[in-house]
Amino acid sequence: MRLRKIFPFFLLGLMTISFWSCKDDEDTLPEVAPNSNEAVNRWIKEVMDQVYYWLEDMKTPIAETSDPEDYFESLLFRPTDRFSVIFPDYEELINSLNGITLEAGYEFILFRESQNSDNVIAEITYVKKNSPASSAGLKRGDIIRTINGQQMTVNNFREVIGAISSQHTITYLRFNETSQAFENQGQLELNTIQLAENPNFLDTIYTINNQKIGYVVYHFFAPGPGNNSTAYDQETDAIFAKFKAEGINHLIVDFRYNGGGFVSSAVNLASLIAPGVGSTDIFSKTKYNSFLSGFDDFKNVRTPFRAKTQNLGNILTGNRVYILTSSRTASASELIINGLRPYMNVFLIGDVTTGKNVGSIPFDDEDNPENPYGILPIVTQSFNSQDQSDYSNGFTPNITAKEIDERLRPFGDINELLLRTAIAQITGNPPSGKFQKLDRQDLGSTLDRKVRAGTMIEKFEMK
């Protein structure tokens, strides 16, 4: 059985050779129906036997007739492996990794309504451009009380929020700046569409106390909305060209909701930030398992920066970049933090990051069209140019600031908690306003349900 890499960004010709080496063994197995669990599970085992990062620690599988999701899980080196996953729909996996999902276009975080209540409310974290939620006027900071007329509780909220993947209604509240209180906005009906989300959410420049500050909000890593598109990377380039032309002194990159994505886009972004880097400077190093490392093309794999005319050069004061983080900052976002550190001062503001220093490559079964599954196993571990990879417990911020400690203000509002903390650090002037501190616990987020959450999609190019 020969396997194909499902993205044209990845060239795995050498892997194809190694997969062919299993064919003789496969031919000795009894025939099974192509749509059977046995066929799917044989394919899973063949892939994992060659690419799984913890190859020596892979477990003995359960029965070949088992459900493929259970079979895949039985192989994994838990709890060390926190991230390998299987998906019953390969096409949905591909779309989601490129930011394309069936949705109304808004994300939220869930909290108890109060410390003594089992009722759960949802606070909208952001609304996506060109979405039904945007057209309906929803805003960051709005509070959702019910979905399809159902009150969420600590016992049912996971099931209730499943309704937002199709047409649904919500009742919600909005904060009134004049009355300083949340006011009922009634009921709203929301449709869902196949939405292509752009990771370049917001960019702006502030001039405060003679300091020119560039601020960019980047929600995940994808080069474009389709397999052959680089539209998003090109837009990122244009943002940094503008920052460079305007002569910013400081840069704030907002990764608080960025759970990862394509390494190729992480390299692109890092190549715009690191001072004066080019194609001879190493951004990251990649380690594969003992089997793949036996082939020359999988030894000493190094990913260089790109030479970008939009690179900011040496214009940043103190050779420093400010990165805003949360507990959902993961994978390719952390790869950037780690990869930039040998070249500049990376100053973190927010919460401890997820801690994902390993990467995946997605696979589908090209030889069997009746196998709809896609798997996303951990295949690599990432290091920076100084061979550092010690962030499996996450990066600890220089300044801790958790956005859930306050009501959410609009992105770009200089009074928003994480942004104002960064601005205060840059200017040396503490904020002058009064801000109410909230005592609440994050119960989860719609972002946690995304396929791309905590994902780093590796790129390998044959030399």
Side-chain angles (χ1 to χ4, degrees), residues 9-308:
F9 302 109
F10 312 126
L11 305 176
L12 298 175
L14 184 59
M15 279 193 180
T16 301
I17 295 172
S18 67
F19 290 142
W20 273 113
S21 68
C22 296
K23 189 169 179 61
D24 291 341
D25 293 338
E26 178 187 307
D27 288 342
T28 65
L29 297 173
E31 290 284 337
V32 293
N35 63 348
S36 66
N37 285 349
E38 291 95 328
V40 175
N41 291 337
R42 286 181 187 179
W43 165 74
I44 290 172
K45 186 65 163 56
E46 184 178 13
V47 176
M48 297 291 281
D49 277 343
Q50 297 173 75
V51 306
Y52 189 49
Y53 184 68
W54 294 283
L55 188 60
E56 287 77 15
D57 297 299
M58 192 165 66
K59 304 295 180 62
T60 302
I62 57 177
E64 202 174 58
T65 55
S66 303
D67 178 86
E69 295 184 30
D70 294 334
Y71 184 89
F72 180 78
E73 181 66 29
S74 74
L75 298 173
L76 303 180
F77 183 43
R78 306 291 198 201
T80 300
D81 180 1
R82 296 181 284 154
F83 302 105
S84 292
V85 284
I86 183 172
F87 298 92
D89 188 334
Y90 148 72
E91 295 295 340
E92 183 179 337
L93 164 63
I94 302 312
N95 283 337
S96 184
L97 290 172
N98 283 288
I100 302 172
T101 52
L102 181 65
E103 58 176 304
Y106 65 104
E107 307 291 352
F108 53 76
I109 296 178
L110 298 138
F111 307 97
R112 286 180 184 265
E113 190 170 33
S114 67
Q115 290 296 319
N116 299 318
S117 174
D118 283 342
N119 286 344
V120 171
I121 58 174
E123 186 170 21
I124 294 178
T125 51
Y126 71 98
V127 178
K128 300 168 189 179
K129 300 170 186 175
N130 305 314
S131 68
S134 175
S135 299
L138 286 179
K139 296 181 179 180
R140 172 174 160 88
D142 287 348
I143 300 291
I144 299 171
R145 294 187 62 87
T146 67
I147 297 175
N148 288 340
Q150 191 168 3
Q151 171 68 58
M152 291 178 286
T153 69
V154 293
N155 296 317
N156 73 4
F157 73 85
R158 294 174 183 82
E159 290 75 28
V160 173
I161 65 175
I164 67 173
S165 59
S166 58
Q167 185 182 51
H168 60 281
T169 61
I170 61 171
T171 58
Y172 70 108
L173 310 173
R174 176 167 295 163
F175 190 79
N176 185 314
E177 294 287 352
T178 302
S179 65
Q180 290 291 294
F182 281 94
E183 297 177 352
N184 185 25
Q185 304 297 301
Q187 181 171 287
L188 183 66
E189 183 172 328
L190 294 165
N191 295 318
T192 55
I193 63 172
Q194 197 78 1
L195 181 68
E197 179 185 356
N198 188 332
N200 295 292
F201 185 78
L202 174 71
D203 65 275
T204 190
I205 297 174
Y206 307 95
T207 301
I208 303 172
N209 292 353
N210 296 319
Q211 302 296 316
K212 190 170 282 191
I213 305 167
Y215 174 58
V216 59
V217 181
Y218 192 85
H219 281 326
F220 63 100
F221 292 91
N227 284 350
N228 298 310
S229 174
T230 58
Y232 299 154
D233 283 351
Q234 293 178 46
E235 187 174 324
T236 306
D237 291 349
I239 291 168
F240 277 78
K242 178 174 62 178
F243 286 169
K244 186 174 183 178
E246 292 291 327
I248 63 170
N249 311 114
H250 306 275
L251 175 66
I252 303 171
V253 181
D254 198 331
F255 282 162
R256 75 182 75 184
Y257 300 141
N258 193 317
F262 290 87
V263 171
S264 61
S265 291
V267 175
N268 188 73
L269 180 56
S271 299
L272 296 166
I273 299 171
V277 294
S279 57
T280 60
D281 298 297
I282 299 302
F283 170 63
S284 66
K285 301 178 182 180
T286 305
K287 179 182 178 182
Y288 292 82
N289 68 21
S290 57
F291 173 75
L292 292 177
S293 295
F295 298 95
D296 289 343
D297 286 294
F298 290 87
K299 291 178 181 176
N300 302 316
V301 178
R302 301 183 176 204
T303 301
F305 287 93
R306 299 174 186 171
K308 310 282 292 186

Side-chain angles (χ1 to χ4, degrees), residues 351-408:
D351 202 355
V352 178
T353 63
T354 298
K356 185 172 187 285
N357 59 355
V358 289
S360 303
I361 295 175
F363 294 92
D364 76 317
D365 187 352
E366 184 187 46
D367 290 338
N368 182 6
E370 295 190 54
N371 176 3
Y373 284 85
I375 60 173
L376 201 58
I378 294 300
V379 174
T380 64
Q381 183 173 348
S382 296
F383 301 77
N384 65 19
S385 63
Q386 297 178 349
D387 296 314
Q388 296 165 328
S389 183
D390 53 350
Y391 56 95
S392 59
N393 293 321
F395 288 106
T396 300
N398 299 85
I399 299 176
T400 298
K402 300 181 181 183
E403 70 168 5
I404 65 171
D405 289 344
E406 293 183 7
R407 68 175 179 85
L408 299 186

Side-chain angles (χ1 to χ4, degrees), residues 291-355:
F291 173 75
L292 292 177
S293 295
F295 298 95
D296 289 343
D297 286 294
F298 290 87
K299 291 178 181 176
N300 302 316
V301 178
R302 301 183 176 204
T303 301
F305 287 93
R306 299 174 186 171
K308 310 282 292 186
T309 59
Q310 304 90 347
N311 177 274
L312 295 179
N314 297 303
I315 68 175
L316 299 180
T317 300
N319 194 30
R320 173 181 286 188
V321 60
Y322 298 85
I323 295 182
L324 307 186
T325 66
S326 75
S327 61
R328 294 184 173 89
T329 301
S331 204
S333 296
E334 295 172 301
L335 183 73
I336 283 191
I337 294 169
N338 197 47
L340 290 179
R341 282 187 161 183
Y343 298 90
M344 65 191 308
N345 182 349
V346 181
F347 195 94
L348 305 183
I349 296 171
D351 202 355
V352 178
T353 63
T354 298

